[in-house]
Amino acid sequence: GESVGLHLPTLSVQEGDNSIINCAYSNSASDYFIWYKQESGKGPQFIIDIRSNMDKRQGQRVTVLLNKTVKHLSLQIAATQPGDSAVYFCAERGAGANNLFFGTGTRLTVIP
Amino acid sequence: GAGVSQSPSNKVTEKGKDVELRCDPISGHTALYWYRQSLGQGLEFLIYFQGNSAPDKSGLPSDRFSAERTGGSVSTLTIQRTQQEDSAVYLCASSPSYGYTFGSGTRLTVV
């Protein structure tokens, strides 16, 4: 899961395996969530989003799961590839709020 | 343009100088955000613009920071009397309502 601090949580997976990145969010009133991927020297890249009226959403090779009971969000990446190596952030937006709150991210390293 | 454009991509400035960072959002996106990302940290919200409404400045860390958005499009973030702790990557994002698109950021280094 994500935590606030200087040391990023890390996840190392073998190429071809599935990856699961977890995020615990803080605001039970948050109604919109996004996963971003950030490669070195680049801005965050949108991966997938989900609204609070859903508990699962699928994209291409990615699935986001939302468990509002325990305030937990996860990103599943199928058949992980070396190009998936990056830092992944989850972000939440409170109902009626203007901005996204981000955690410090999880660094995913794919081993060829 | 096709994406959010920020300039300059890198800026080195001396402590005490003023700097201006520019953001060109995606055409038609009514919302524009500025975030700051320090080394190894997540993104810290700074300011939000929505159409012609008064901006949400609740994230600005001090009165040395200000931003404006002209004509509902281009935005400029100004940092006066820069300090070393201002060194970070400054990211701009725009959004139609859902799905925020970020630029590549401006890396600011205060020496």
Side-chain angles (χ1 to χ4, degrees):
Chain A
E2 296 195 340
S3 61
V4 176
L6 294 176
H7 301 288
L8 285 177
T10 59
L11 175 66
S12 295
V13 298
Q14 289 290 139
E15 181 178 359
D17 286 353
N18 297 332
S19 302
I20 300 176
I21 301 172
N22 296 304
C23 175
Y25 64 93
S26 56
N27 185 357
S28 58
S30 291
D31 66 354
Y32 181 56
F33 305 86
I34 308 179
W35 279 101
Y36 283 94
K37 171 187 180 182
Q38 188 174 29
E39 297 173 282
S40 181
K42 298 183 179 180
Q45 176 188 354
F46 174 93
I47 301 173
I48 192 167
D49 61 358
I50 188 168
R51 302 187 195 185
S52 60
N53 61 352
M54 303 173 68
D55 53 22
K56 180 179 180 179
R57 189 159 187 237
Q58 289 184 290
Q60 186 178 10
R61 282 202 306 120
V62 295
T63 301
V64 55
L65 298 177
L66 175 62
N67 185 331
K68 294 180 289 294
T69 302
V70 296
K71 293 187 287 187
H72 184 268
L73 194 68
S74 69
L75 176 70
Q76 301 177 1
I77 304 173
T80 315
Q81 303 168 1
D84 295 328
S85 294
V87 176
Y88 289 80
F89 295 94
C90 74
E92 60 178 304
R93 188 178 74 185
N98 298 327
N99 62 78
L100 295 174
F101 288 97
F102 288 79
T104 51
T106 296
R107 183 178 300 281
L108 174 66
T109 300
V110 181
I111 303 165
Chain B
V4 177
S5 178
Q6 291 187 246
S7 61
S9 55
N10 283 283
K11 177 72 176 178
V12 180
T13 190
E14 292 182 352
K15 179 181 174 181
K17 300 283 190 182
D18 297 352
V19 295
E20 286 189 350
L21 312 180
R22 177 187 169 103
C23 172
D24 282 279
I26 293 173
S27 178
H29 281 193
T30 56
L32 186 148
Y33 303 77
W34 283 97
Y35 283 82
R36 178 170 71 174
Q37 186 174 31
S38 300
L39 185 64
Q41 299 290 316
L43 280 71
E44 173 190 5
F45 168 73
L46 296 177
I47 189 169
Y48 158 74
F49 296 90
Q50 174 63 52
N52 295 321
S53 302
D56 176 353
K57 304 179 182 179
S58 60
L60 294 179
S62 78
D63 59 8
R64 296 187 295 105
F65 288 71
S66 63
E68 61 179 23
R69 188 180 186 190
T70 55
S73 181
V74 172
S75 177
T76 302
L77 176 69
T78 301
I79 308 173
Q80 295 178 309
R81 306 181 301 282
T82 51
Q83 303 295 313
Q84 287 186 328
E85 61 263 27
D86 299 334
S87 296
V89 176
Y90 289 82
L91 290 156
C92 175
S94 70
S95 174
S97 63
Y98 289 95
Y100 301 56
T101 301
F102 281 85
S104 296
T106 294
R107 180 175 298 277
L108 175 66
T109 303
V110 182
V111 297

